[in-house]
Amino acid sequence: QKEVEQDPGPLSVPEGAIVSLNCTYSNSAFQYFMWYRQYSRKGPELLMYTYSSGNKEDGRFTAQVDKSSKYISLFIRDSQPSDSATYLCAMSERQGGSEKLVFGKGTKLTVNP
Amino acid sequence: DAMVIQNPRYQVTQFGKPVTLSCSQTLNHNVMYWYQQKSSQAPKLLFHYYDKDFNNEADTPDNFQSRRPNTSFCFLDIRSPGLGDAAMYLCATSIGEETQYFGPGTRLLVL
């Protein structure tokens, strides 16, 4: 079983739809959870960062962490064509003074006008 | 704006010909990372520097080396690139264990 599982999609939705992206993980030592957005041929851009279980909201984006189920989600409300990108979940333990990120494979999202 | 810069953005090299990729940062972060990302795959950590201390991942091939001459710059050297080394190479930085910030990446093509 891989440490982080993420459905690669692709996921295609109409503009204005609510998008739900999910990852599951097996390592209970993970403490920090992140969502990165990666446009084609660009580097990952940090979208959301959470530490504890629960919800964190930033504009149209909500990150949700359920440590008991080892499950994290990213919700995008009122999706826009500019949200079309690959979304990578990432998590870490943060040992030894630096951070080793473990990524999911990414979900490719297309928002159609 | 403070940022992570990677040069070149696109690099073409020949099979077996050494190549160096460059990363610089204006964030004054003490940790710098190099990742390899192949098409439709997750970024894979190759190694990182915590200040001047080099940390190699156990499964990083010997073909990959890195140098960090100062806080701002870090280089990835591929001594003898093979066709399987064609990928996007991503540099990231952080302050200690804090969140990593990525550069735009260098796409390497091996002919």
Side-chain angles (χ1 to χ4, degrees):
Chain A
Q1 181 187 10
K2 293 184 179 177
E3 278 195 290
V4 179
E5 299 273 5
Q6 183 177 9
D7 186 341
L11 183 60
S12 182
V13 302
E15 183 174 356
I18 296 174
V19 176
S20 173
L21 305 168
N22 311 294
C23 288
T24 58
Y25 62 96
S26 57
N27 186 351
S28 57
F30 287 141
Q31 301 170 344
Y32 299 86
F33 305 90
M34 287 136 283
W35 286 94
Y36 285 86
R37 176 174 63 195
Q38 187 173 25
Y39 291 112
S40 182
R41 301 182 183 274
K42 299 286 178 65
E45 169 196 9
L46 181 66
L47 265 183
M48 300 285 287
Y49 151 70
T50 56
Y51 170 70
S52 56
S53 283
N55 293 351
K56 181 176 181 179
E57 192 172 316
D58 183 1
R60 297 185 295 111
F61 298 90
T62 299
Q64 190 174 80
V65 174
D66 182 346
K67 288 187 177 181
S68 62
S69 301
K70 297 190 181 68
Y71 188 89
I72 70 170
S73 299
L74 177 70
F75 299 97
I76 308 174
R77 290 186 300 280
D78 188 24
S79 56
Q80 303 294 310
S82 58
D83 295 328
S84 299
T86 296
Y87 289 81
L88 297 156
C89 65
M91 39 202 84
S92 71
E93 297 180 49
R94 296 195 177 178
Q95 290 181 340
S98 56
E99 178 185 63
K100 181 173 179 178
L101 283 177
V102 180
F103 283 91
K105 280 193 170 184
T107 300
K108 186 172 183 179
L109 171 68
T110 301
V111 180
N112 301 300
Chain B
D1 287 343
M3 58 177 61
V4 182
I5 302 161
Q6 289 190 247
N7 285 305
R9 295 294 312 278
Y10 299 91
Q11 175 74 57
V12 181
T13 190
Q14 292 178 336
F15 183 94
K17 185 174 181 180
V19 66
T20 295
L21 309 182
S22 168
C23 177
S24 64
Q25 51 125 343
T26 60
L27 298 163
N28 204 32
H29 286 175
N30 63 325
V31 190
M32 295 186 78
Y33 307 79
W34 279 105
Y35 290 83
Q36 179 192 64
Q37 186 180 26
K38 296 188 176 181
S39 181
S40 301
Q41 293 188 20
K44 177 181 179 298
L45 182 64
L46 295 173
F47 26 59
H48 74 277
Y49 275 93
Y50 187 96
D51 295 321
K52 294 184 178 181
D53 294 332
F54 178 71
N55 298 272
N56 199 30
E57 292 300 299
D59 57 354
T60 298
D62 292 340
N63 198 25
F64 292 86
Q65 304 286 321
S66 185
R67 296 171 284 135
R68 188 179 187 186
N70 54 53
T71 300
S72 300
F73 284 86
C74 194
F75 300 99
L76 169 62
D77 300 309
I78 309 176
R79 292 192 297 185
S80 181
L83 298 178
D85 296 327
M88 172 82 93
Y89 290 88
L90 296 163
C91 174
T93 72
S94 70
I95 300 175
E97 297 179 332
E98 298 301 310
T99 306
Q100 294 180 32
Y101 293 88
F102 285 80
T106 294
R107 183 165 292 277
L108 177 69
L109 181 62
V110 181
L111 300 177

